[in-house]
Amino acid sequence: TQLLKQSPQFLSIQEGENLTVYCNSSSVFSSLQWYRQEPGEGPVLLVTVVTGGEVKKLKRLTFQFGDARKDSSLHITAAQPGDTGLYLCAGQNTGNQFYFGTGTSLTVIP
Amino acid sequence: EAGVTQSPTHLIKTRGQQATLRCSPISGHTSVYWYQQALGLGLQFLLWYDEGEERNRGNFPPRFSGRQFPNYSSELNVNALELEDSALYLCASSLATARVLRYGYTFGSGTRLTVV
């Protein structure tokens, strides 16, 4: 069962553009994480958001957790080719376990 | 410090055969998770082991099984392989519950299983 749906599934943009990736669910999560995965590698943690309405910034990346803790967004400002990769959200349901979203594949063209 | 290591990196099997995938977690991590990733998309949860016990299982048939050894390393076994089992199998490890929020999972680079 896929609890988290991400959109868009694929995104190709020019260097310097802004973009937003969405992660939506009908379930409430106690926390949500965002990962980035590059080809041939496993996902790497970018950020964890815990409180409804929380906003976290990581350089050009801005993460927001929805007020109801059912959704999240990732906004990238002035995208660079190094941002290319698969972005995955992961929601913590119970205990130690996270369920991963469907993924957004981002390509930034120089 | 060594990261999560998975072996083999690539595995080619014939339909009906069995596959065994191995994972060594980061030293000090007691939890190991297995995920299946098809077509470079989202991760499907397979199994979670902690302190040698199976804690939870995803929506996969019983021919997917595994175990965790006393040194916290883990094996994933897939019996009676089917063509649709072809995927990247990722292993992740983590610290105890309270620290997962801060440090997340640490993933290995995966085993690419191809069933022909």
Short mmCIF file of all heavy atoms in Angstrom, two decimals, chain A residues 1-2 9-10 30-33 35 37 40-45 47-50 86 88 92 94-103 105, chain B residues 31 33 35 37 40-45 48 50 55-57 59 88 90 94-98 100-110:
data_model
loop_
_atom_site.label_atom_id
_atom_site.label_comp_id
_atom_site.label_asym_id
_atom_site.label_seq_id
_atom_site.Cartn_x
_atom_site.Cartn_y
_atom_site.Cartn_z
N THR A 1 0.85 -1.19 0.00
CA THR A 1 0.00 0.00 0.00
C THR A 1 0.88 1.24 0.00
O THR A 1 1.77 1.36 0.83
CB THR A 1 -0.90 0.03 1.25
OG1 THR A 1 -1.67 -1.13 1.30
CG2 THR A 1 -1.77 1.27 1.23
N GLN A 2 0.62 2.15 -0.95
CA GLN A 2 1.41 3.37 -1.06
C GLN A 2 0.71 4.46 -0.29
O GLN A 2 -0.34 4.94 -0.67
CB GLN A 2 1.57 3.76 -2.53
CG GLN A 2 2.60 4.80 -2.79
CD GLN A 2 4.00 4.40 -2.32
OE1 GLN A 2 4.41 4.74 -1.22
NE2 GLN A 2 4.70 3.69 -3.16
N GLN A 9 5.89 13.42 -10.87
CA GLN A 9 6.71 12.21 -10.87
C GLN A 9 8.04 12.49 -11.55
O GLN A 9 9.08 11.98 -11.13
CB GLN A 9 5.98 11.09 -11.58
CG GLN A 9 6.70 9.74 -11.51
CD GLN A 9 5.90 8.63 -12.15
OE1 GLN A 9 4.77 8.82 -12.59
NE2 GLN A 9 6.48 7.45 -12.21
N PHE A 10 8.01 13.29 -12.63
CA PHE A 10 9.22 13.66 -13.35
C PHE A 10 9.22 15.18 -13.55
O PHE A 10 8.18 15.78 -13.79
CB PHE A 10 9.29 12.96 -14.71
CG PHE A 10 9.34 11.47 -14.63
CD1 PHE A 10 8.19 10.71 -14.78
CD2 PHE A 10 10.54 10.81 -14.42
CE1 PHE A 10 8.23 9.33 -14.70
CE2 PHE A 10 10.59 9.42 -14.34
CZ PHE A 10 9.44 8.68 -14.47
N SER A 30 3.73 11.29 12.28
CA SER A 30 4.34 11.95 13.43
C SER A 30 5.58 12.73 13.01
O SER A 30 5.98 13.68 13.69
CB SER A 30 4.67 10.94 14.51
OG SER A 30 5.39 9.86 13.97
N SER A 31 6.19 12.35 11.92
CA SER A 31 7.30 13.12 11.37
C SER A 31 7.45 12.77 9.89
O SER A 31 6.89 11.77 9.43
CB SER A 31 8.62 12.83 12.10
OG SER A 31 9.07 11.53 11.80
N LEU A 32 8.19 13.59 9.18
CA LEU A 32 8.38 13.35 7.77
C LEU A 32 9.81 13.71 7.40
O LEU A 32 10.33 14.72 7.89
CB LEU A 32 7.38 14.16 6.95
CG LEU A 32 7.27 13.75 5.47
CD1 LEU A 32 5.81 13.75 5.03
CD2 LEU A 32 8.11 14.63 4.60
N GLN A 33 10.41 12.88 6.57
CA GLN A 33 11.77 13.12 6.14
C GLN A 33 11.82 13.25 4.63
O GLN A 33 10.99 12.69 3.91
CB GLN A 33 12.69 11.99 6.61
CG GLN A 33 12.78 11.88 8.13
CD GLN A 33 13.72 10.79 8.59
OE1 GLN A 33 13.92 9.79 7.93
NE2 GLN A 33 14.31 10.98 9.78
N TYR A 35 14.59 12.71 1.43
CA TYR A 35 15.86 12.12 1.02
C TYR A 35 16.12 12.47 -0.45
O TYR A 35 15.18 12.70 -1.22
CB TYR A 35 15.81 10.59 1.12
CG TYR A 35 15.81 10.03 2.53
CD1 TYR A 35 14.65 10.04 3.30
CD2 TYR A 35 16.95 9.45 3.08
CE1 TYR A 35 14.64 9.51 4.58
CE2 TYR A 35 16.95 8.91 4.35
CZ TYR A 35 15.79 8.94 5.09
OH TYR A 35 15.79 8.41 6.36
N GLN A 37 18.31 10.78 -3.74
CA GLN A 37 19.02 9.60 -4.21
C GLN A 37 19.64 9.89 -5.56
O GLN A 37 18.95 10.32 -6.49
CB GLN A 37 18.07 8.40 -4.32
CG GLN A 37 18.75 7.10 -4.72
CD GLN A 37 17.77 5.95 -4.80
OE1 GLN A 37 16.56 6.15 -4.91
NE2 GLN A 37 18.26 4.72 -4.75
N GLY A 40 22.84 4.93 -8.76
CA GLY A 40 23.83 3.99 -8.24
C GLY A 40 24.08 4.10 -6.75
O GLY A 40 24.95 3.39 -6.22
N GLU A 41 23.33 4.95 -6.08
CA GLU A 41 23.53 5.13 -4.64
C GLU A 41 22.21 4.94 -3.89
O GLU A 41 21.13 4.99 -4.49
CB GLU A 41 24.07 6.53 -4.34
CG GLU A 41 25.40 6.84 -5.00
CD GLU A 41 26.53 5.98 -4.46
OE1 GLU A 41 26.46 5.58 -3.27
OE2 GLU A 41 27.48 5.68 -5.22
N GLY A 42 22.33 4.78 -2.58
CA GLY A 42 21.13 4.75 -1.76
C GLY A 42 20.69 6.18 -1.42
O GLY A 42 21.46 7.13 -1.57
N PRO A 43 19.46 6.35 -0.97
CA PRO A 43 18.97 7.69 -0.58
C PRO A 43 19.77 8.26 0.59
O PRO A 43 20.22 7.50 1.47
CB PRO A 43 17.52 7.42 -0.18
CG PRO A 43 17.14 6.14 -0.84
CD PRO A 43 18.41 5.34 -0.86
N VAL A 44 19.92 9.58 0.61
CA VAL A 44 20.63 10.27 1.69
C VAL A 44 19.68 11.27 2.32
O VAL A 44 19.01 12.04 1.61
CB VAL A 44 21.88 10.99 1.15
CG1 VAL A 44 22.54 11.81 2.25
CG2 VAL A 44 22.87 9.98 0.58
N LEU A 45 19.62 11.28 3.64
CA LEU A 45 18.71 12.15 4.37
C LEU A 45 19.05 13.63 4.15
O LEU A 45 20.21 14.04 4.28
CB LEU A 45 18.76 11.85 5.86
CG LEU A 45 17.89 12.71 6.76
CD1 LEU A 45 16.41 12.42 6.50
CD2 LEU A 45 18.22 12.49 8.23
N VAL A 47 16.49 16.23 5.42
CA VAL A 47 15.88 16.96 6.53
C VAL A 47 14.80 16.12 7.17
O VAL A 47 14.24 15.21 6.54
CB VAL A 47 15.28 18.29 6.02
CG1 VAL A 47 13.95 18.04 5.32
CG2 VAL A 47 15.08 19.28 7.15
N THR A 48 14.50 16.42 8.44
CA THR A 48 13.36 15.85 9.15
C THR A 48 12.49 17.00 9.66
O THR A 48 13.00 17.95 10.23
CB THR A 48 13.82 15.01 10.36
OG1 THR A 48 14.66 13.96 9.91
CG2 THR A 48 12.62 14.40 11.08
N VAL A 49 11.19 16.91 9.42
CA VAL A 49 10.24 17.89 9.98
C VAL A 49 9.30 17.14 10.91
O VAL A 49 8.87 16.03 10.61
CB VAL A 49 9.47 18.65 8.89
CG1 VAL A 49 10.38 19.68 8.25
CG2 VAL A 49 8.92 17.71 7.83
N VAL A 50 9.00 17.77 12.03
CA VAL A 50 8.25 17.08 13.09
C VAL A 50 6.95 17.80 13.45
O VAL A 50 5.92 17.15 13.70
CB VAL A 50 9.13 16.93 14.35
CG1 VAL A 50 8.37 16.25 15.46
CG2 VAL A 50 10.39 16.16 14.03
N LEU A 86 16.75 11.81 -7.51
CA LEU A 86 15.41 11.35 -7.14
C LEU A 86 15.13 11.83 -5.72
O LEU A 86 15.90 11.53 -4.80
CB LEU A 86 15.35 9.82 -7.20
CG LEU A 86 14.01 9.19 -6.82
CD1 LEU A 86 12.94 9.51 -7.86
CD2 LEU A 86 14.14 7.69 -6.67
N LEU A 88 12.78 11.80 -2.45
CA LEU A 88 11.83 10.90 -1.80
C LEU A 88 11.40 11.49 -0.46
O LEU A 88 12.24 11.91 0.33
CB LEU A 88 12.49 9.55 -1.55
CG LEU A 88 12.86 8.74 -2.79
CD1 LEU A 88 13.97 7.74 -2.46
CD2 LEU A 88 11.65 8.00 -3.32
N GLN A 92 6.82 8.92 8.97
CA GLN A 92 6.91 8.01 10.10
C GLN A 92 5.51 7.74 10.61
O GLN A 92 4.80 8.65 11.04
CB GLN A 92 7.76 8.62 11.21
CG GLN A 92 7.91 7.71 12.43
CD GLN A 92 8.61 8.39 13.58
OE1 GLN A 92 8.69 9.62 13.62
NE2 GLN A 92 9.13 7.62 14.52
N THR A 94 4.40 4.54 12.72
CA THR A 94 4.52 4.08 14.11
C THR A 94 5.95 3.64 14.36
O THR A 94 6.60 3.12 13.48
CB THR A 94 3.59 2.89 14.40
OG1 THR A 94 3.89 1.83 13.48
CG2 THR A 94 2.14 3.29 14.26
N GLY A 95 6.37 3.88 15.55
CA GLY A 95 7.67 3.39 15.96
C GLY A 95 8.80 3.93 15.12
O GLY A 95 8.87 5.10 14.80
N ASN A 96 9.66 3.04 14.73
CA ASN A 96 10.90 3.40 14.06
C ASN A 96 10.76 3.39 12.54
O ASN A 96 11.72 3.63 11.84
CB ASN A 96 11.97 2.39 14.46
CG ASN A 96 13.32 3.04 14.65
OD1 ASN A 96 13.41 4.23 14.78
ND2 ASN A 96 14.35 2.23 14.67
N GLN A 97 9.59 3.09 12.04
CA GLN A 97 9.45 2.77 10.64
C GLN A 97 8.95 3.94 9.80
O GLN A 97 8.02 4.64 10.19
CB GLN A 97 8.50 1.60 10.48
CG GLN A 97 8.45 1.03 9.09
CD GLN A 97 7.56 -0.18 9.05
OE1 GLN A 97 7.47 -0.93 10.02
NE2 GLN A 97 6.88 -0.37 7.95
N PHE A 98 9.58 4.12 8.66
CA PHE A 98 9.17 5.15 7.71
C PHE A 98 8.65 4.50 6.43
O PHE A 98 9.21 3.51 5.96
CB PHE A 98 10.35 6.06 7.36
CG PHE A 98 10.65 7.08 8.43
CD1 PHE A 98 11.36 6.73 9.56
CD2 PHE A 98 10.21 8.39 8.29
CE1 PHE A 98 11.64 7.67 10.53
CE2 PHE A 98 10.48 9.33 9.27
CZ PHE A 98 11.20 8.97 10.39
N TYR A 99 7.60 5.09 5.87
CA TYR A 99 7.07 4.65 4.58
C TYR A 99 7.44 5.70 3.54
O TYR A 99 7.22 6.89 3.75
CB TYR A 99 5.55 4.49 4.65
CG TYR A 99 5.13 3.31 5.50
CD1 TYR A 99 4.90 3.46 6.86
CD2 TYR A 99 5.00 2.04 4.94
CE1 TYR A 99 4.54 2.38 7.64
CE2 TYR A 99 4.62 0.96 5.71
CZ TYR A 99 4.39 1.13 7.07
OH TYR A 99 4.04 0.06 7.84
N PHE A 100 7.97 5.24 2.43
CA PHE A 100 8.48 6.15 1.42
C PHE A 100 7.44 6.49 0.36
O PHE A 100 6.57 5.67 0.04
CB PHE A 100 9.73 5.56 0.76
CG PHE A 100 10.96 5.70 1.61
CD1 PHE A 100 11.17 4.85 2.68
CD2 PHE A 100 11.88 6.70 1.36
CE1 PHE A 100 12.29 4.98 3.49
CE2 PHE A 100 13.01 6.83 2.15
CZ PHE A 100 13.21 5.98 3.22
N GLY A 101 7.58 7.69 -0.18
CA GLY A 101 6.71 8.14 -1.24
C GLY A 101 7.10 7.57 -2.59
O GLY A 101 8.07 6.82 -2.71
N THR A 102 6.36 7.95 -3.61
CA THR A 102 6.55 7.44 -4.96
C THR A 102 7.76 8.04 -5.67
O THR A 102 8.20 7.51 -6.66
CB THR A 102 5.30 7.70 -5.80
OG1 THR A 102 4.93 9.08 -5.66
CG2 THR A 102 4.13 6.84 -5.35
N GLY A 103 8.28 9.13 -5.13
CA GLY A 103 9.49 9.73 -5.70
C GLY A 103 9.24 10.77 -6.78
O GLY A 103 8.27 10.68 -7.54
N SER A 105 11.60 12.49 -9.80
CA SER A 105 12.89 12.49 -10.50
C SER A 105 13.14 13.87 -11.10
O SER A 105 12.40 14.30 -11.99
CB SER A 105 12.89 11.42 -11.59
OG SER A 105 14.14 11.41 -12.25
N SER B 31 19.01 -1.67 14.11
CA SER B 31 17.85 -1.89 13.22
C SER B 31 18.31 -1.96 11.77
O SER B 31 19.14 -1.16 11.33
CB SER B 31 16.85 -0.74 13.36
OG SER B 31 16.07 -0.88 14.51
N TYR B 33 16.59 -2.42 7.79
CA TYR B 33 15.37 -2.36 6.98
C TYR B 33 15.71 -2.78 5.56
O TYR B 33 16.76 -2.43 5.04
CB TYR B 33 14.82 -0.93 6.95
CG TYR B 33 14.72 -0.26 8.31
CD1 TYR B 33 15.84 0.34 8.88
CD2 TYR B 33 13.52 -0.23 9.00
CE1 TYR B 33 15.77 0.94 10.12
CE2 TYR B 33 13.44 0.38 10.24
CZ TYR B 33 14.57 0.96 10.80
OH TYR B 33 14.50 1.55 12.02
N TYR B 35 14.20 -2.65 1.58
CA TYR B 35 13.26 -2.02 0.67
C TYR B 35 13.50 -2.52 -0.75
O TYR B 35 14.63 -2.83 -1.14
CB TYR B 35 13.42 -0.49 0.67
CG TYR B 35 12.91 0.19 1.92
CD1 TYR B 35 13.73 0.35 3.02
CD2 TYR B 35 11.60 0.67 1.98
CE1 TYR B 35 13.26 0.97 4.16
CE2 TYR B 35 11.13 1.29 3.12
CZ TYR B 35 11.97 1.44 4.20
OH TYR B 35 11.50 2.06 5.33
N GLN B 37 13.10 -1.34 -4.69
CA GLN B 37 12.92 -0.15 -5.53
C GLN B 37 12.94 -0.58 -6.99
O GLN B 37 13.95 -1.04 -7.51
CB GLN B 37 14.02 0.88 -5.28
CG GLN B 37 13.82 2.17 -6.06
CD GLN B 37 14.88 3.21 -5.74
OE1 GLN B 37 16.03 2.87 -5.51
NE2 GLN B 37 14.49 4.48 -5.71
N GLY B 40 13.68 2.80 -10.52
CA GLY B 40 14.18 4.07 -10.02
C GLY B 40 13.13 4.95 -9.39
O GLY B 40 13.28 6.16 -9.32
N LEU B 41 12.06 4.33 -8.92
CA LEU B 41 10.98 5.09 -8.32
C LEU B 41 10.96 4.89 -6.80
O LEU B 41 11.98 4.67 -6.19
CB LEU B 41 9.65 4.69 -8.97
CG LEU B 41 9.56 5.02 -10.45
CD1 LEU B 41 8.25 4.52 -11.04
CD2 LEU B 41 9.70 6.53 -10.68
N GLY B 42 9.78 5.00 -6.21
CA GLY B 42 9.67 4.94 -4.76
C GLY B 42 10.08 3.60 -4.18
O GLY B 42 10.17 2.59 -4.87
N LEU B 43 10.33 3.62 -2.88
CA LEU B 43 10.75 2.42 -2.17
C LEU B 43 9.55 1.71 -1.55
O LEU B 43 8.73 2.34 -0.89
CB LEU B 43 11.73 2.80 -1.05
CG LEU B 43 13.19 3.04 -1.42
CD1 LEU B 43 13.35 4.20 -2.38
CD2 LEU B 43 14.02 3.28 -0.16
N GLN B 44 9.50 0.42 -1.75
CA GLN B 44 8.47 -0.40 -1.13
C GLN B 44 9.07 -1.13 0.06
O GLN B 44 10.06 -1.85 -0.09
CB GLN B 44 7.91 -1.41 -2.14
CG GLN B 44 7.25 -0.79 -3.35
CD GLN B 44 5.96 -0.09 -3.01
OE1 GLN B 44 5.23 -0.52 -2.12
NE2 GLN B 44 5.67 1.01 -3.69
N PHE B 45 8.46 -0.95 1.23
CA PHE B 45 8.97 -1.56 2.45
C PHE B 45 8.81 -3.08 2.42
O PHE B 45 7.73 -3.59 2.14
CB PHE B 45 8.25 -0.97 3.67
CG PHE B 45 8.50 -1.71 4.94
CD1 PHE B 45 9.74 -1.68 5.56
CD2 PHE B 45 7.49 -2.46 5.52
CE1 PHE B 45 9.97 -2.38 6.72
CE2 PHE B 45 7.70 -3.15 6.70
CZ PHE B 45 8.95 -3.11 7.30
N TRP B 48 11.63 -5.23 8.48
CA TRP B 48 12.35 -4.48 9.49
C TRP B 48 12.79 -5.46 10.58
O TRP B 48 11.98 -6.17 11.13
CB TRP B 48 11.46 -3.38 10.07
CG TRP B 48 11.96 -2.73 11.32
CD1 TRP B 48 13.25 -2.65 11.77
CD2 TRP B 48 11.16 -2.07 12.30
NE1 TRP B 48 13.30 -2.00 12.95
CE2 TRP B 48 12.04 -1.61 13.31
CE3 TRP B 48 9.80 -1.80 12.42
CZ2 TRP B 48 11.59 -0.90 14.43
CZ3 TRP B 48 9.35 -1.09 13.53
CH2 TRP B 48 10.25 -0.66 14.53
N ASP B 50 15.12 -5.76 14.22
CA ASP B 50 15.76 -5.03 15.30
C ASP B 50 16.12 -6.03 16.40
O ASP B 50 15.27 -6.82 16.82
CB ASP B 50 14.85 -3.94 15.85
CG ASP B 50 15.52 -3.15 16.96
OD1 ASP B 50 16.54 -2.51 16.68
OD2 ASP B 50 15.03 -3.19 18.10
N ARG B 55 10.40 -7.11 13.24
CA ARG B 55 9.48 -6.16 13.87
C ARG B 55 8.27 -5.86 13.01
O ARG B 55 7.20 -5.55 13.52
CB ARG B 55 10.20 -4.84 14.17
CG ARG B 55 11.38 -4.97 15.10
CD ARG B 55 11.00 -5.50 16.46
NE ARG B 55 12.15 -5.53 17.36
CZ ARG B 55 12.14 -6.05 18.58
NH1 ARG B 55 11.02 -6.60 19.04
NH2 ARG B 55 13.22 -6.03 19.32
N ASN B 56 8.46 -5.87 11.71
CA ASN B 56 7.34 -5.59 10.83
C ASN B 56 7.66 -6.10 9.43
O ASN B 56 8.82 -6.31 9.09
CB ASN B 56 7.03 -4.09 10.77
CG ASN B 56 5.61 -3.81 10.31
OD1 ASN B 56 4.82 -4.74 10.10
ND2 ASN B 56 5.29 -2.54 10.14
N ARG B 57 6.61 -6.32 8.68
CA ARG B 57 6.74 -6.88 7.35
C ARG B 57 5.82 -6.13 6.41
O ARG B 57 4.68 -5.81 6.76
CB ARG B 57 6.36 -8.35 7.42
CG ARG B 57 6.44 -9.07 6.12
CD ARG B 57 5.94 -10.49 6.25
NE ARG B 57 6.08 -11.15 4.97
CZ ARG B 57 7.18 -11.72 4.53
NH1 ARG B 57 8.24 -11.75 5.32
NH2 ARG B 57 7.24 -12.28 3.34
N ASN B 59 3.86 -5.59 2.52
CA ASN B 59 2.87 -6.38 1.79
C ASN B 59 3.54 -7.17 0.65
O ASN B 59 3.32 -6.89 -0.52
CB ASN B 59 1.79 -5.44 1.23
CG ASN B 59 0.63 -6.20 0.66
OD1 ASN B 59 0.37 -7.33 1.05
ND2 ASN B 59 -0.06 -5.59 -0.28
N LEU B 88 16.03 -3.02 -7.62
CA LEU B 88 17.14 -2.68 -6.73
C LEU B 88 16.67 -2.93 -5.30
O LEU B 88 15.61 -2.42 -4.90
CB LEU B 88 17.53 -1.21 -6.91
CG LEU B 88 18.68 -0.70 -6.03
CD1 LEU B 88 19.99 -1.37 -6.44
CD2 LEU B 88 18.81 0.81 -6.14
N LEU B 90 17.38 -2.32 -1.49
CA LEU B 90 18.15 -1.44 -0.62
C LEU B 90 18.02 -1.87 0.82
O LEU B 90 16.94 -2.23 1.29
CB LEU B 90 17.65 0.00 -0.75
CG LEU B 90 17.97 0.70 -2.07
CD1 LEU B 90 17.10 1.94 -2.24
CD2 LEU B 90 19.44 1.09 -2.12
N SER B 94 19.66 1.92 11.21
CA SER B 94 19.40 3.11 12.02
C SER B 94 19.75 2.83 13.48
O SER B 94 19.84 1.68 13.92
CB SER B 94 17.94 3.55 11.91
OG SER B 94 17.11 2.69 12.66
N LEU B 95 19.87 3.94 14.19
CA LEU B 95 20.04 3.86 15.63
C LEU B 95 18.69 3.60 16.28
O LEU B 95 17.69 3.42 15.59
CB LEU B 95 20.64 5.18 16.14
CG LEU B 95 22.07 5.47 15.69
CD1 LEU B 95 22.40 6.94 15.92
CD2 LEU B 95 23.04 4.59 16.43
N ALA B 96 18.65 3.65 17.58
CA ALA B 96 17.41 3.43 18.31
C ALA B 96 16.37 4.48 17.94
O ALA B 96 16.69 5.53 17.41
CB ALA B 96 17.69 3.47 19.81
N THR B 97 15.14 4.19 18.26
CA THR B 97 13.99 4.97 17.81
C THR B 97 14.16 6.47 17.93
O THR B 97 13.93 7.23 17.00
CB THR B 97 12.74 4.55 18.61
OG1 THR B 97 12.53 3.16 18.44
CG2 THR B 97 11.53 5.31 18.13
N ALA B 98 14.55 6.94 19.10
CA ALA B 98 14.59 8.37 19.34
C ALA B 98 15.56 9.09 18.43
O ALA B 98 15.41 10.27 18.14
CB ALA B 98 14.95 8.64 20.79
N VAL B 100 16.30 8.19 15.26
CA VAL B 100 15.98 8.11 13.83
C VAL B 100 15.47 9.45 13.33
O VAL B 100 15.75 9.85 12.21
CB VAL B 100 14.91 7.02 13.58
CG1 VAL B 100 14.39 7.10 12.15
CG2 VAL B 100 15.50 5.65 13.84
N LEU B 101 14.80 10.19 14.18
CA LEU B 101 14.27 11.47 13.76
C LEU B 101 15.38 12.42 13.35
O LEU B 101 15.24 13.21 12.43
CB LEU B 101 13.45 12.10 14.88
CG LEU B 101 12.10 11.44 15.17
CD1 LEU B 101 11.42 12.17 16.32
CD2 LEU B 101 11.23 11.47 13.93
N ARG B 102 16.50 12.37 14.05
CA ARG B 102 17.58 13.31 13.76
C ARG B 102 18.49 12.79 12.66
O ARG B 102 18.90 13.54 11.78
CB ARG B 102 18.39 13.56 15.02
CG ARG B 102 19.54 14.53 14.78
CD ARG B 102 20.25 14.90 16.06
NE ARG B 102 21.33 15.85 15.82
CZ ARG B 102 22.12 16.29 16.77
NH1 ARG B 102 21.95 15.90 18.02
NH2 ARG B 102 23.09 17.15 16.48
N TYR B 103 18.78 11.52 12.69
CA TYR B 103 19.80 10.98 11.79
C TYR B 103 19.22 10.19 10.62
O TYR B 103 19.92 9.91 9.66
CB TYR B 103 20.77 10.10 12.57
CG TYR B 103 21.52 10.86 13.64
CD1 TYR B 103 21.18 10.74 14.98
CD2 TYR B 103 22.55 11.71 13.28
CE1 TYR B 103 21.86 11.45 15.94
CE2 TYR B 103 23.24 12.43 14.25
CZ TYR B 103 22.89 12.29 15.58
OH TYR B 103 23.56 13.01 16.53
N GLY B 104 17.95 9.84 10.70
CA GLY B 104 17.33 9.12 9.59
C GLY B 104 17.93 7.74 9.41
O GLY B 104 18.62 7.20 10.26
N TYR B 105 17.61 7.18 8.27
CA TYR B 105 18.18 5.91 7.88
C TYR B 105 19.48 6.16 7.14
O TYR B 105 19.61 7.15 6.41
CB TYR B 105 17.25 5.17 6.92
CG TYR B 105 15.95 4.67 7.49
CD1 TYR B 105 15.00 4.11 6.64
CD2 TYR B 105 15.65 4.73 8.83
CE1 TYR B 105 13.80 3.63 7.12
CE2 TYR B 105 14.45 4.25 9.32
CZ TYR B 105 13.53 3.70 8.46
OH TYR B 105 12.33 3.23 8.93
N THR B 106 20.41 5.23 7.25
CA THR B 106 21.60 5.23 6.41
C THR B 106 21.48 4.06 5.46
O THR B 106 21.37 2.91 5.90
CB THR B 106 22.89 5.10 7.24
OG1 THR B 106 22.93 6.16 8.19
CG2 THR B 106 24.11 5.18 6.33
N PHE B 107 21.46 4.36 4.18
CA PHE B 107 21.25 3.34 3.17
C PHE B 107 22.56 2.84 2.59
O PHE B 107 23.55 3.58 2.48
CB PHE B 107 20.41 3.90 2.02
CG PHE B 107 18.95 3.98 2.31
CD1 PHE B 107 18.41 5.10 2.92
CD2 PHE B 107 18.09 2.95 1.97
CE1 PHE B 107 17.06 5.19 3.19
CE2 PHE B 107 16.73 3.02 2.22
CZ PHE B 107 16.21 4.15 2.84
N GLY B 108 22.53 1.56 2.18
CA GLY B 108 23.60 1.03 1.35
C GLY B 108 23.34 1.40 -0.10
O GLY B 108 22.33 2.06 -0.42
N SER B 109 24.22 0.99 -0.98
CA SER B 109 24.09 1.31 -2.41
C SER B 109 23.20 0.32 -3.14
O SER B 109 22.89 0.52 -4.31
CB SER B 109 25.46 1.37 -3.08
OG SER B 109 26.24 2.38 -2.51
N GLY B 110 22.81 -0.75 -2.46
CA GLY B 110 21.84 -1.66 -3.03
C GLY B 110 22.42 -2.85 -3.78
O GLY B 110 23.60 -2.88 -4.14
#
